[in-house]
Amino acid sequence: MSKQHRVKFVHEGKYVAEVDVELLVGETEWSPYLSVEDAYKLDDVREALRRGDIAAAAKLARVFALQPVAASQ
């Protein structure tokens, strides 16, 4: 089994978080998949963003605030 580094994005409200995870690649039908720890990390980041707890989310990921941009025609 090998591991591949990936970045997953979690979007909640006006925030987006970049979460570093490792995909586990093997010879099974379920491949590639996340480890249980990385799956929980994604869940924890999403829940922190839902609560508005940016500090907690920032401990596990890089957090960005989204800002609307007016389109000109």
Side-chain angles (χ1 to χ4, degrees):
M1 179 181 342
S2 65
K3 296 179 181 180
Q4 295 178 353
H5 173 77
R6 292 285 186 259
V7 174
K8 295 288 186 177
F9 294 94
V10 176
H11 175 224
E12 280 296 326
K14 64 179 184 175
Y15 298 103
V16 172
E18 282 184 347
V19 185
D20 292 321
V21 297
E22 286 187 339
L23 290 179
L24 304 174
V25 180
E27 308 231 352
T28 66
E29 296 174 10
W30 294 95
S31 182
Y33 57 92
L34 292 171
S35 69
V36 173
E37 293 83 15
D38 281 341
Y40 281 137
K41 185 191 318 185
L42 289 170
D43 289 343
D44 292 344
V45 169
R46 184 179 311 280
E47 184 58 36
L49 292 177
R50 281 185 184 156
R51 289 192 316 265
D53 189 355
I54 306 308
K59 290 179 183 177
L60 301 171
R62 290 171 299 283
V63 179
F64 301 91
L66 298 176
Q67 183 176 11
V69 177
S72 60
Q73 293 184 3

